[in-house]
Amino acid sequence: MSSSHDLDGRPVDWLHDNENLSVRFGLNVEDPDAQRRNQGAHVRMFADARLRIAPDRLFANVVAATRGAALSIEVRSRALLGFGFRIATGAEPVVDRLYAVGRPEPGDYRSATVRRFQRDNQLITVELMRARLSDSHDRDALQRLWSCEISTWQVRQFLDPVAGRVYDHRHLRFPRPAAAPRTSARAGATRSLNGGEGAAAARVNAGVVWADGSAEQRFERIQVQAEDDPLRERIGLLRVHFFVTDAD
């Protein structure tokens, strides 16, 4: 008998803190180990979600994934030169300080995608919380892995060690692209777990962020010489809770 719960929420294509920070969770389709585990898997995102058994509690941002799915996390922020970002659970960082300083999109937006933990080349996966209670983990410790925070901040100056050049707001690494008609990452049809549009109800259990498998992603190395304070001068901060969808 399943002990999963009904989750009601608004399906979305992006999760947002503000117009300067958006995050998108999807399946990792790059790493061979992730490709194997993601056969038949899915990931969906919901905003303003509630469990029907606890309707007074609001989950502003939810990721609902197949158990064991390997994730890809795309972080998008507006920054003239580039931005730093951190993805962290209540227990430890997934990535601590990584930087997006590549070619910008119109509006000075940049994106960075991560598929692995920064420290050890393991995949970012979602596991069933209750299944890990028997792995010498207590419930309080697992509760800290139920959610994560994604934050970004401005980079003010950095050295590209390959080019041997220093870039700042007066000496940009790339020319600014021509302005485009104003659009939002919110655009696009929303999707439910059943592939339709509009509101959705999913059968879920609490999930945890888990390091597993092998990832091959490599990160660009730069030397940051000036940046905003990651705690006090953020571009944005977004908190996400994880659920495992019912496979019964």
Side-chain angles (χ1 to χ4, degrees):
M1 182 174 65
S2 174
S3 60
S4 58
H5 306 292
D6 287 324
L7 178 80
D8 290 308
R10 176 168 52 88
V12 295
D13 294 319
W14 288 83
L15 302 171
H16 305 274
D17 174 46
N18 54 51
E19 66 176 6
N20 296 324
L21 171 60
S22 302
V23 182
R24 178 164 60 185
F25 290 78
L27 292 174
N28 179 342
V29 297
E30 300 294 332
D31 294 295
D33 197 7
Q35 293 172 3
R36 287 190 292 272
R37 72 167 56 224
N38 283 343
Q39 293 182 18
H42 60 249
V43 176
R44 299 290 186 266
M45 297 177 296
F46 297 88
D48 303 326
R50 287 181 169 86
L51 291 172
R52 289 184 182 174
I53 62 167
D56 294 336
R57 180 168 186 184
L58 177 69
F59 298 92
N61 303 290
V62 162
V63 170
T66 308
R67 180 179 175 181
L71 301 183
S72 171
I73 308 173
E74 182 179 359
V75 182
R76 185 174 187 263
S77 259
R78 177 182 286 165
L80 179 59
L81 187 65
F83 65 88
F85 66 99
R86 187 173 192 262
I87 304 171
T89 68
E92 61 181 347
V94 176
V95 298
D96 195 4
R97 286 196 181 197
L98 288 180
Y99 295 91
V101 293
R103 191 174 298 276
E105 307 166 25
D108 296 322
Y109 284 101
R110 284 177 172 80
S111 297
T113 300
V114 294
R115 308 189 308 271
R116 50 162 276 203
F117 279 73
Q118 187 174 359
R119 68 175 189 273
D120 56 11
N121 287 20
Q122 288 189 286
L123 299 170
I124 305 166
T125 72
V126 178
E127 272 296 342
L128 189 63
M129 183 184 293
R130 69 165 182 257
R132 292 296 175 178
L133 288 173
S134 60
D135 294 346
S136 301
H137 295 90
D138 60 49
R139 186 173 297 276
D140 289 341
L142 289 171
Q143 288 276 352
R144 293 193 287 272
L145 303 177
W146 186 18
S147 65
C148 78
E149 290 185 342
I150 302 101
S151 59
T152 61
W153 60 91
Q154 295 270 358
V155 171
R156 302 296 180 181
Q157 181 174 301
F158 70 92
L159 168 68
D160 178 349
V162 176
R165 297 186 60 181
V166 172
Y167 299 100
D168 57 25
H169 286 189
R170 296 173 299 171
H171 306 90
L172 299 178
R173 188 184 194 186
F174 300 103
R176 299 178 72 179
R182 186 181 178 89
T183 60
S184 169
R186 298 174 188 265
T190 58
R191 299 164 297 185
S192 74
L193 286 173
N194 298 319
E197 298 186 7
R203 297 287 293 178
V204 298
N205 286 283
V208 291
V209 179
W210 206 257
D212 197 11
S214 176
E216 302 175 359
Q217 183 178 18
R218 296 291 179 265
F219 301 121
E220 178 184 13
R221 295 185 178 274
I222 61 170
Q223 181 180 327
V224 177
Q225 299 174 328
E227 61 186 326
D228 286 352
D229 187 295
L231 297 179
R232 293 189 290 268
E233 300 175 285
R234 292 172 173 146
I235 298 172
L237 173 67
L238 187 144
R239 190 179 190 196
V240 178
H241 280 84
F242 295 89
F243 289 89
V244 171
T245 55
D246 194 349
D248 293 342

